[in-house]
Amino acid sequence: MRVVMIGPPGAGKGTQGALIAEHFDIPRIVVGDLLRDHVARRTDLGRVADGYLGRGELVPDELMLCIVRQALMAARAAGGGYVFDGVPRAMAQARAAYAIAAELGMTANAAGHLRADDNELTRRLPGRAALEHRTDDTEAVIRHRLELYQKATQPIIAWYAQRGILVSVDAMRQAGEVGREIRTALELLPAPTGPVIVRRPVDLSGLGAGCAS
Ligand code: AMP
């Protein structure tokens, strides 16, 4: 199973991605967490990414695609499955990431789309800021991230639909209910093609190293 999660900030990509990863026993790559970890550790990548995260802007594609390549190679070595949370965020990034995945025989066979409206999200996100100590869940940055989602990220959904991999669910319900609906839909999809599958432990801790140089 190879899944990319897509949805506005606060729709539950993290929660649902984790449920999918556990159910299908596949690694979960959370790009936002990875970037925040680099920022906290003051790595070269973290120093470059810091300002973008604080403003709610997209980190440049060059860096993101370097991380995507490393993550896909790690996932391939670990058995071929993955859940990607946070990539892609814009059409050009989606096409470039697809090209890398195609080269590695690792294109997604499902896109898990979480639908939620802005009112619900602006209600949920400040609570998350308090819980997770995220600096980008302030009101002004939240508004900007939602706008960026509408403008840059949302167009990718139609592309997934054309590719026949879109699984779209109403995310404004209990997490367990949303999770059951996605899982059922994913189980009905054709399995991904390509060489597979011996499960090996996956070490994602080094991801991003060297990407900023
Ligand atoms: P997230 O935790 O997924 O909401 O991501 C937090 C922040 O990390 C975003 O607001 C961006 O600054 C950055 N980020 C995450 N994923 C990407 C991506 N695919 N492309 C560019 N920037 C990203």
Side-chain angles (χ1 to χ4, degrees), residues 5 7-18 85 114 116 121 124 128 171 178:
M5 300 303 294
K13 294 189 296 294
T15 305
Q16 297 305 331
D85 170 349
L114 303 180
L121 298 169
R124 282 185 192 180
R128 181 172 81 176
V178 177

Side-chain angles (χ1 to χ4, degrees), residues 61-97:
D61 274 1
E62 206 184 340
L63 292 181
M64 296 314 301
L65 294 169
C66 173
I67 296 171
V68 166
R69 179 179 290 277
Q70 290 181 353
L72 288 174
M73 286 171 66
R76 188 172 66 171
Y82 61 77
V83 182
F84 245 114
D85 170 349
V87 172
R89 285 290 234 268
M91 204 59 227
Q93 190 184 85
R95 291 192 191 283

Side-chain angles (χ1 to χ4, degrees), residues 9 13 31-33 35-36 52-53 56-59 64 85-89 93 128 134 136 145:
K13 294 189 296 294
V31 181
D33 286 354
L35 292 171
R36 279 183 286 276
Y52 294 96
L53 265 79
E57 297 287 354
L58 296 183
V59 171
M64 296 314 301
D85 170 349
V87 172
R89 285 290 234 268
Q93 190 184 85
R128 181 172 81 176
R134 283 182 58 150
D136 59 350
R145 287 163 65 219

Side-chain angles (χ1 to χ4, degrees), residues 71-135:
L72 288 174
M73 286 171 66
R76 188 172 66 171
Y82 61 77
V83 182
F84 245 114
D85 170 349
V87 172
R89 285 290 234 268
M91 204 59 227
Q93 190 184 85
R95 291 192 191 283
Y98 179 84
I100 294 170
E103 179 196 320
L104 296 171
M106 289 286 284
T107 55
N109 67 307
H113 171 215
L114 303 180
R115 297 191 309 271
D117 71 36
D118 277 8
N119 289 341
E120 170 72 7
L121 298 169
T122 30
R123 197 185 60 73
R124 282 185 192 180
L125 284 164
R128 181 172 81 176
L131 269 178
E132 298 178 10
H133 306 290
R134 283 182 58 150
T135 54

Side-chain angles (χ1 to χ4, degrees), residues 166-182:
L166 187 67
V167 171
S168 185
V169 299
D170 171 9
M172 299 207 308
R173 297 170 294 161
Q174 292 282 332
E177 215 177 306
V178 177
R180 274 189 297 281
E181 188 177 325
I182 299 183

